[in-house]
Amino acid sequence: DFNSESEDNDDIHLIQNMRQMGLNLLEQQQPEALATEDYILCFHIPPFNSVDHLHLHVLAPASKMNWAYREIKYKCGARWCTSDLEVIERLKDGLPAVRYKRHADAKFDSVYLNFAWIKCCGSRNE
């Protein structure tokens, strides 16, 4: 787990930067979906993920997605999927990134945010 306040802020900034990159992508590729908020920005929650690194799903237009994907696989608020904004708010409130733990002693934020930070920005100790 991350303990220092600066590291918590780093995690928040990482997710905020990922969100901004997603919005920039929508602006370039799907401006109408962005303007009408017809998009999904989300993370899958372990163990309901198929790729073991933090990545943001940017999906648009959501209204044209297959129903099963829109209403099941990428349904924010489900046990397996959370919105980028929920992660940001939870981190700001000092809570784990997601409501559910992978198992008794592993958290989404401590495992996946640390990996993403290192991939994005190098060691936290630099």
Side-chain angles (χ1 to χ4, degrees), residues 12-90:
I12 293 166
H13 292 305
L14 174 65
I15 302 301
Q16 288 172 327
N17 288 340
M18 292 175 77
R19 173 180 171 73
Q20 190 57 55
M21 290 173 65
L23 294 173
N24 292 346
L25 182 63
L26 288 168
E27 184 176 41
Q28 294 168 7
Q29 301 292 321
Q30 291 288 336
E32 186 176 328
L34 177 63
T36 60
E37 298 184 3
D38 187 17
Y39 60 87
I40 298 170
L41 298 178
C42 66
F43 298 100
H44 278 124
I45 302 170
F48 303 101
N49 57 313
S50 58
V51 180
D52 280 334
H53 65 261
L54 182 69
H55 60 280
L56 178 67
H57 294 276
V58 180
L59 307 163
S63 61
K64 295 191 177 176
M65 290 172 60
N66 175 292
W67 177 88
Y69 286 102
R70 185 180 66 248
E71 296 298 326
I72 299 173
K73 185 172 183 176
Y74 298 103
K75 182 70 172 176
C76 292
R79 167 63 182 91
W80 52 85
C81 190
T82 188
S83 75
D84 60 315
L85 293 175
E86 181 179 359
V87 171
I88 291 167
E89 288 307 309
R90 290 183 62 82

